Amino acid sequence: RAVCWRMAIYSPEEWNPLLIITQILTNQCWFYAIWMNLHLIACFLLGMSPSFSVSFFFSDYEFSLVDFHFYLIVVELALTCGIMVPIVVYIAERAKKCLDYCSTLFINHLVICFFVNGFPVHLFWWITMVGCMIAMTLLTERISVKRELEDILVSDILANV
């Protein structure tokens, strides 16, 4: 039977703004790269011509229930958030940081949307973004907490010494 050794999982963190900015930019780049690749795959599978215009990704004009693009965007965003979960868990490193990184991702997206096409006013845009942010935050926190609560085995520690 393995013995669990009680010790701090993480060393004390230093304030490193460059690291934080790099992590936020990495998170944002992964988000858009995954979303654009999923959009390309969806357009290929549906026989549509891919539209990689700035207004497609950064506007709320497509968020109309009668428009097919609305449903395509919602599915793409849901899949993007699902794929982003392990990336955010890896980047955030701690469960208490998951909310920060997930909310920063969507707040940055809101700011970019504001500068590209003005403030988003469509209700379904807000429902989609807030829903994706909540789902991604809950999933990343759950996985991070599960990972943090794993036993640290003495045999594993001694093997690394």
Side-chain angles (χ1 to χ4, degrees):
R1 183 177 161 161
V3 178
C4 177
W5 186 34
R6 301 276 179 198
M7 63 175 264
I9 297 174
Y10 301 98
S11 61
E13 298 176 14
E14 294 180 15
W15 171 250
N16 188 347
L18 185 60
L19 175 65
I20 295 169
I21 291 169
T22 303
Q23 288 173 324
I24 290 169
L25 289 175
T26 302
N27 205 17
Q28 206 78 34
C29 289
W30 272 109
F31 178 75
Y32 292 123
I34 291 168
W35 188 7
M36 289 180 187
N37 280 307
L38 285 175
H39 181 66
L40 181 65
I41 292 167
C43 288
F44 175 75
L45 292 175
L46 296 172
M48 300 168 48
S49 62
S51 58
F52 284 107
S53 66
V54 172
S55 64
F56 181 82
F57 293 99
F58 300 112
S59 77
D60 62 340
Y61 300 131
E62 302 288 339
F63 283 81
S64 169
L65 288 177
V66 296
D67 191 5
F68 173 73
H69 290 282
F70 166 72
Y71 300 103
L72 182 62
I73 291 171
V74 170
V75 169
E76 288 172 0
L77 276 171
L79 290 172
T80 300
C81 290
I83 295 170
M84 282 294 297
V85 167
I87 295 169
V88 174
V89 167
Y90 181 77
I91 290 173
E93 299 174 336
R94 306 278 311 263
K96 69 179 188 176
K97 292 182 181 179
C98 290
L99 173 63
D100 298 339
Y101 281 95
C102 291
S103 59
T104 301
L105 175 73
F106 285 96
I107 290 169
N108 287 343
H109 183 67
L110 171 66
V111 169
I112 294 169
C113 289
F114 175 76
F115 283 113
V116 170
N117 280 319
F119 191 77
V121 294
H122 287 88
L123 176 65
F124 294 112
W125 186 91
W126 286 98
I127 291 170
T128 303
M129 294 302 160
V130 171
C132 285
M133 183 183 75
I134 290 170
M136 193 163 90
T137 301
L138 292 174
L139 287 170
T140 55
E141 284 184 351
R142 175 149 172 82
I143 292 171
S144 291
V145 166
K146 188 176 180 181
R147 194 178 79 186
E148 287 177 6
L149 292 177
E150 289 178 352
D151 290 340
I152 301 173
L153 304 175
V154 173
S155 59
D156 291 343
I157 295 170
L158 295 176
N160 292 330
V161 175

